[in-house]
Amino acid sequence: THSGTLRVSRLATTLTSHTKAFTSFANFLSLGNMALRQFASSAVTMLRVRSSAPSLILRTMPRAFSTVPDDRKYAESHEWCKNDGGVSTVGITDFAQSELGDVVYVELPEVGATVTKKETFGVVESVKAASDVYSPVSGEVVEVNEELAGNPSLVNTAAFTEGWMMKVKLSNPSELDALLDPTAYSKSIEDH
């Protein structure tokens, strides 16, 4: 039993070391925290470790750096906004999706609805919780991402691309000026 405990301890140390190396590589590739946790969980499962080592590895994994693209503005409530000729595409940030966990359902407004800055426009449900989503701008919803109905996990895997939520024809373009730039948003999430 002492040799078994020693083997599990060595295995945990080895897995932790490999996980740290993978984490560094994943950070380089800008993968999200969820992908790292899935990798560690899969590695532990494949090696059939039956001890406290799996939870130890998952607890000691450093959080992956969240992606913050330079071509958009950000709300303090973790929504992003990318303006294109008076129409802004809106979604939640990489940081927000990593905090939520696996997204299982997304509720969006109807096309033609009016949204107001800092007011709820939808809900994102994950395996952890349901969370309101706030509009970073005011205007008329001209399009919603219909793909999210059948594939809500796009919010996790492609938060800034295929995981967008709605497009809004701005009623007050000056509201964009009050949003955070990428540098300010990056600083705001460093403390979380």
Side-chain angles (χ1 to χ4, degrees):
T1 57
H2 176 69
S3 64
T5 303
L6 188 57
R7 273 187 260 138
V8 168
S9 176
R10 283 185 189 148
L11 181 59
T13 302
T14 301
L15 284 174
T16 301
S17 142
H18 290 304
T19 300
K20 285 179 183 176
F22 180 78
T23 300
S24 297
F25 181 68
N27 284 340
F28 175 74
L29 295 176
S30 298
L31 290 177
N33 194 26
M34 182 181 67
L36 296 174
R37 289 187 184 278
Q38 287 176 340
F39 167 78
S41 180
S42 296
V44 168
T45 301
M46 283 189 327
L47 295 170
R48 293 185 172 89
V49 175
R50 303 238 192 275
S51 73
S52 62
S55 59
L56 170 69
I57 292 166
L58 294 177
R59 278 196 313 269
T60 59
M61 282 182 60
R63 172 184 281 159
F65 181 75
S66 294
T67 305
V68 180
D70 291 336
D71 62 347
R72 52 203 82 203
K73 298 281 212 139
Y74 300 88
E76 291 176 5
S77 53
H78 307 293
E79 292 83 16
W80 59 264
C81 180
K82 183 177 179 183
N83 191 43
D84 184 17
V87 175
S88 286
T89 303
V90 174
I92 66 169
T93 65
D94 185 46
F95 176 81
Q97 71 77 23
S98 71
E99 292 293 302
L100 282 168
D102 296 337
V103 174
V104 295
Y105 176 75
V106 179
E107 179 182 303
L108 298 173
E110 297 288 324
V111 171
T114 299
V115 293
T116 304
K117 182 177 181 169
K118 294 187 177 182
E119 290 190 12
T120 303
F121 75 82
V123 176
V124 174
E125 291 183 18
S126 72
V127 294
K128 291 183 186 178
S131 193
D132 288 338
V133 186
Y134 300 90
S135 184
V137 291
S138 300
E140 178 187 350
V141 177
V142 294
E143 188 177 350
V144 294
N145 188 349
E146 300 289 344
E147 291 293 315
L148 297 180
N151 191 3
S153 66
L154 287 172
V155 172
N156 294 117
T157 59
F160 292 112
T161 54
E162 291 87 13
W164 64 275
M165 296 181 171
M166 67 175 177
K167 294 187 181 185
V168 178
K169 182 178 179 185
L170 301 177
S171 60
N172 186 0
S174 65
E175 289 178 337
L176 294 169
D177 298 334
L179 296 173
L180 300 173
D181 65 27
T183 302
Y185 181 71
S186 292
K187 287 182 184 193
S188 78
I189 62 175
E190 283 178 2
D191 296 333
H192 284 89

